[in-house]
Amino acid sequence: MLTQPNVLLLHPLRRERGSLTAVRHPVQPEKDLSLPGHDRYELSAVVYHQGARAEAGHYYCVAQAHDGKWWRFDDLSARPFRDDVERSQL
């Protein structure tokens, strides 16, 4: 019997066909995701990339702590994330 996973990882492919150049159209994550026939998923982390190409640029993560506060993890630092995750753009 198949069951839905506890964790759902979505990775939108944001590249032009046949290229490593990123598509510039912004995507805004939603805090709740409901899929037909499944329970609701709650957003717990987002990985962002800054730069024109996947192999050149900078990645950082924003994750929600158990107390509901959001944190930005960037190389060697962790600090509170002051933006709204739903309004931030991937």
Side-chain angles (χ1 to χ4, degrees):
M1 179 164 127
L2 297 177
T3 61
Q4 85 178 56
N6 293 330
V7 176
L8 178 65
L9 174 65
L10 300 176
H11 177 222
L13 183 58
R14 298 181 38 84
R15 305 277 177 256
E16 294 178 14
R17 182 172 287 187
S19 172
L20 293 177
T21 303
V23 174
R24 292 287 180 211
H25 180 75
V27 174
Q28 294 178 327
E30 296 181 16
K31 288 186 180 175
D32 294 304
L33 174 66
S34 296
L35 300 175
H38 295 283
D39 290 335
R40 180 177 58 92
Y41 288 96
E42 294 178 31
L43 184 68
S44 60
V46 178
V47 176
Y48 294 91
H49 177 261
Q50 293 174 325
R53 301 175 68 84
E55 71 278 0
H58 185 70
Y59 289 90
Y60 64 94
C61 177
V62 174
Q64 188 175 31
H66 291 289
D67 63 3
K69 295 180 183 175
W70 290 86
W71 288 80
R72 176 179 167 148
F73 298 92
D74 188 356
D75 293 334
L76 299 176
S77 68
R79 61 183 182 265
F81 186 67
R82 302 196 188 285
D83 296 328
D84 184 350
V85 173
E86 286 187 288
R87 292 191 192 147
S88 61
Q89 297 180 353
L90 302 177

